Amino acid sequence: MSTPAPSKKFKNPRANFNFQGRTCSISGVGSYVPERIITNADLEKMVDTSDEWIFSRTGIRSRRVAASDQYTSDLATNAALKAMKMAGVKAEQIDLIIVATITPDMPFPSTACLVQQKIGAYRAAAFDIEAACSGFIFALEIGQQFIMSRTYNTVLVIGAEKLSSIVNWTDRNTCVLFGDGAGAAILQNRPDSHGLLTACMGSDGQKADLLSMPGGGSRCPASAESVSAGLHFLRMDGKETFKNAVQAMNTAAQESLRRCEIDITQIKCIIPHQANRRIIDAVAERLGAKQEQLFVNLDKYGNTSAASVAIALDEAVATKRIQRGDLILLVVFGAGLTWGAAVIEW
Ligand code: UT7
């Protein structure tokens, strides 16, 4: 009598659909942060702040800032090349490039097209998406849809930001929070692995004003007046954003766990959006998660928006916090408002 196959301890929500054994696995990850480090002590010389205030209110110690001739597409390209190397994927194999960013090199063409040119992936289609700090999960979900529908076999997903270009370095409320960087993942149909099990996304445009950059679009094109009014800088209602972040991240995480019919104890590593240590701890408490399940690197990089969970995922893999077969939870929140969560079997 043959031994029955061991039953999985979670449900694959994709199994409800006829994907004929198709999976969306993450076969490579990579990240890049610029060399220049700005510490809290450096910021004390620039604005009326202190290391004590910044660290106790946010958990941030330092952040990376790109050089003046280093653009979002450069950060993205560096991360992409590392992910391609890990996956063993050549540029000509890539079918699609998606870049999630709120700091594109320019309004158009897309940063994804600029990355395409830099890595030589000339067969690929390329476009950007904008879901602020939630962008990487939104991009993962879009990429996965193309893989599962058999439209494409190899998708390069990148979260990349040069937030230093839209931060007002004289505003202590915001300049202490953000940093530059990029993270990338290669998505492929690999029948030997489950990969991305589910990703949920949510948005609430009614709260668009909480976190925005008002200038530079069709509503308020660049002009001498818009520049002097500071409309090309990021602005945020920190307290309201904080409250919404905790609630939305908790809801998104719970929904993704429910879809996989698992509870939080089965998650090996939780990778939350790295905006504020107090947000991460509040979400963990609501989820009933233990501190040792959390992966946190915002002390080093601050909030890198769309790059945040992508960089953290790469570091968690590189430091062996994530091993093959582990269940991982990614959970994000950002301007829009937008939020999302994803469960991955590594
Ligand atoms: O990635 C997208 C999502 N983004 C987030 O999730 C960020 C969410 N928000 C936050 O992380 C927090 O709200 C902040 C870190 C931005 C602010 O923390 P807070 O505990 O909400 O502080 P607050 O804004 O209420 O400010 C408290 C005080 C104020 O002084 P008064 O008015 O009480 O005298 C601020 O002016 O702290 C002052 N303050 C600072 N003091 C020293 C604000 N920024 C600074 C600073 N250094 N850098």
Side-chain angles (χ1 to χ4, degrees):
M1 212 169 86
S2 65
T3 318
S7 62
K8 286 273 182 193
K9 292 195 178 59
F10 57 87
K11 179 184 166 190
N12 182 351
R14 308 291 176 198
N16 292 341
F17 303 97
N18 183 17
F19 287 127
Q20 297 171 330
R22 220 164 152 81
T23 63
C24 176
S25 90
I26 298 180
S27 53
V29 284
S31 66
Y32 173 81
V33 289
E35 275 172 32
R36 185 171 166 217
I37 299 172
I38 295 198
T39 63
N40 292 350
D42 295 327
L43 286 167
E44 285 176 359
K45 295 175 201 137
M46 295 160 65
V47 288
D48 179 15
T49 191
S50 65
D51 175 49
E52 198 281 319
W53 191 96
I54 301 170
F55 187 69
S56 63
R57 299 286 180 123
T58 69
I60 301 168
R61 290 272 190 216
S62 63
R63 66 287 296 142
R64 300 298 180 101
V65 170
S68 57
D69 62 350
Q70 199 177 27
Y71 314 119
T72 298
S73 64
D74 298 314
L75 311 183
T77 297
N78 286 337
L81 291 172
K82 290 181 187 173
M84 288 160 61
K85 188 172 177 199
M86 180 173 166
V89 159
K90 294 196 169 27
E92 55 270 25
Q93 280 173 263
I94 297 172
D95 300 307
L96 176 66
I97 302 169
I98 309 172
V99 174
T101 187
I102 53 169
T103 49
D105 285 23
M106 54 189 104
F108 68 90
S110 70
T111 300
C113 282
L114 302 176
V115 171
Q116 174 192 34
Q117 186 263 324
K118 285 177 180 167
I119 63 175
Y122 299 116
R123 234 176 36 74
F127 60 83
D128 289 358
I129 66 136
E130 202 272 78
C133 304
S134 306
F136 189 69
I137 284 190
F138 280 47
L140 275 184
E141 174 65 359
I142 296 166
Q144 173 185 237
Q145 296 291 341
F146 281 111
I147 300 255
M148 299 308 266
S149 65
R150 295 171 184 271
T151 310
Y152 295 128
N153 284 317
T154 303
V155 177
L156 169 59
V157 172
I158 307 170
E161 302 286 8
K162 185 178 177 180
L163 292 169
S164 59
S165 65
I166 59 165
V167 158
N168 179 353
W169 290 100
T170 64
D171 175 15
R172 70 175 184 173
N173 290 294
T174 51
C175 76
V176 302
L177 304 173
F178 299 98
D180 300 338
I186 295 283
L187 308 184
Q188 290 186 295
N189 170 42
R190 294 265 282 257
D192 58 330
S193 166
H194 271 287
L196 191 53
L197 296 176
T198 192
C200 27
M201 307 183 291
S203 306
D204 182 2
Q206 295 175 97
K207 294 178 179 163
D209 287 342
L210 286 185
L211 182 46
S212 66
M213 188 182 85
S218 59
R219 188 193 293 195
C220 189
S223 65
E225 292 75 28
S226 72
V227 172
S228 62
L231 300 183
H232 301 274
F233 291 131
L234 169 161
R235 43 176 75 174
M236 172 169 73
D237 176 340
K239 272 211 183 324
E240 274 307 305
T241 305
F242 189 114
K243 276 190 251 166
N244 280 277
V246 174
Q247 198 180 5
M249 287 168 79
N250 178 42
T251 305
Q254 302 276 13
E255 170 62 14
S256 64
L257 296 176
R258 191 195 59 73
R259 286 189 196 174
C260 298
E261 296 179 5
I262 54 174
D263 66 59
I264 195 70
T265 61
Q266 289 169 265
I267 297 288
K268 181 73 188 308
C269 185
I270 303 168
I271 302 184
H273 172 48
Q274 311 279 316
N276 187 314
R277 180 74 214 207
R278 291 185 293 139
I279 294 176
I280 293 172
D281 288 344
V283 173
E285 195 188 322
R286 280 165 178 72
L287 288 173
K290 297 201 170 94
Q291 282 291 323
E292 55 265 32
Q293 287 172 282
L294 297 171
F295 188 87
V296 178
N297 64 1
L298 96 157
D299 52 318
K300 293 188 289 183
Y301 307 130
N303 181 350
T304 57
S305 189
S308 155
V309 289
I311 295 172
L313 177 63
D314 179 48
E315 287 200 354
V317 172
T319 55
K320 305 210 183 318
R321 276 288 302 276
I322 298 173
Q323 309 276 354
R324 193 170 160 75
D326 287 347
L327 291 177
I328 308 156
L329 173 67
L330 307 185
V331 55
V332 293
F333 176 83
L337 301 176
T338 54
W339 57 85
V343 178
I344 300 164
E345 185 197 17
W346 197 252

